[in-house]
Amino acid sequence: MAGSIGFGCFYALLCFSADYAPGWVIAATWQLTIIASLFVLMFFGRVFPKRIWVFSTIVVVGVGLINTSHITTFHFAEFAKGAFPVLIAAFCYPFGNQLVWESKHGHKHFPKIDSPLLENAFNKVLLLSLGSLPFWILLVLFIDPPMPSMGQVLNTSLVALLSGLVATTLFLLARHQAHTSSELAAVDATQSSEVIFALLGEMLFLGTALPNAQAWLGIILVFIGLGFFIYFQKKECAVHD
């Protein structure tokens, strides 16, 4: 369940959206996972300070400014295909990851997995990947896609290495080191920094134009919200020490 939701639904929905919206817009919309993570934590019965909502709202406002900065004409069908799947994916990813975290740390509604293997972030990536296989099998049978080209295989391999292996392993390692809901929310909030990298990547490799003033304001707000997360997390650690 964790693999099919956290990896399967997440990646499938992002790939679908990639055909209808620029990469950096998808990355910006994806930042709503910061808010989604809070709802997921609440679903699992976790509590956190109210200021977390304030920081997350700052990020969401920034995301909204970024997404609306490129709009000249609005077509609901294109919006639904490009943005709505990302919103669903924004809930799938933290939900799958939180299932693993809850199983590791114990939850009254889930069996506790007290195995030293879950201390290793690479093992978590492997387990989630294997757990997503039933989803991919059903998706292939339902859609019946053609065989991929060599270019698609190469691009997918790079994504698997950089995003699936390196980035996801580091992210799950950070989540493993989190012991409170506030720390989990702070780790999830660090995903907001990917907006600037997606934007830089498209400018360097695809020739995308520089963002306008509204988009820059949105990017600044995203990083202000992230800065608050980091600042108060350090403050809390200092108090506990």
Side-chain angles (χ1 to χ4, degrees):
M1 183 184 296
S4 291
I5 296 175
F7 275 18
C9 293
F10 159 61
Y11 277 113
L13 289 167
L14 288 188
C15 289
F16 180 86
S17 295
D19 285 338
Y20 298 95
W24 73 277
V25 173
I26 293 176
T29 307
W30 167 247
Q31 306 317 312
L32 294 175
T33 191
I34 298 170
I35 290 288
S37 295
L38 301 183
F39 284 105
V40 169
L41 290 172
M42 291 174 62
F43 175 82
F44 284 100
R46 303 296 174 178
V47 295
F48 42 83
K50 292 182 179 179
R51 62 170 175 267
I52 298 296
W53 287 101
V54 177
F55 305 157
S56 299
T57 300
I58 294 174
V59 173
V60 170
V61 172
V63 169
L65 290 174
I66 295 172
N67 279 351
T68 57
S69 66
H70 76 290
I71 295 178
T72 54
T73 57
F74 180 79
H75 299 285
F76 180 77
E78 294 181 2
F79 171 79
K81 291 179 180 178
F84 187 67
V86 181
L87 297 180
I88 301 176
F91 282 87
C92 292
Y93 189 62
F95 191 89
N97 288 330
Q98 192 63 24
L99 276 174
V100 177
W101 193 90
E102 296 291 347
S103 296
K104 174 66 176 66
H105 292 82
H107 191 284
K108 61 181 179 180
H109 296 304
F110 301 98
K112 180 176 173 59
I113 303 177
D114 195 15
S115 170
L117 293 175
L118 282 185
E119 299 292 333
N120 190 306
F122 284 103
N123 290 336
K124 293 180 180 179
V125 174
L126 176 61
L127 288 173
L128 286 167
S129 299
L130 293 175
S132 69
L133 289 179
F135 173 86
W136 296 121
I137 293 173
L138 290 175
L139 191 64
V140 169
L141 293 175
F142 179 76
I143 297 179
D144 191 24
M147 292 296 293
S149 65
M150 287 304 299
Q152 288 176 315
V153 172
L154 176 60
N155 291 336
T156 303
S157 299
L158 289 173
V159 172
L161 174 63
L162 299 175
S163 176
L165 183 61
V166 178
T168 303
T169 301
L170 290 173
F171 180 71
L172 291 180
L173 176 62
R175 278 186 129 259
H176 170 72
Q177 295 175 344
H179 299 288
T180 66
S181 299
S182 297
E183 291 176 347
L184 285 171
V187 171
D188 290 347
T190 61
Q191 296 174 97
S192 62
S193 60
E194 74 182 50
V195 175
I196 189 66
F197 296 106
L199 178 58
L200 287 174
E202 291 214 339
M203 287 190 296
L204 289 174
F205 299 108
L206 302 178
T208 304
L210 286 170
N212 57 28
Q214 179 180 326
W216 279 117
L217 176 60
I219 292 172
I220 291 171
L221 286 177
V222 167
F223 282 101
I224 287 176
L226 178 60
F228 278 130
F229 270 108
I230 296 173
Y231 173 76
F232 280 97
Q233 194 60 51
K234 288 183 177 179
K235 192 175 181 179
E236 285 186 3
C237 291
V239 170
H240 291 309
D241 290 341

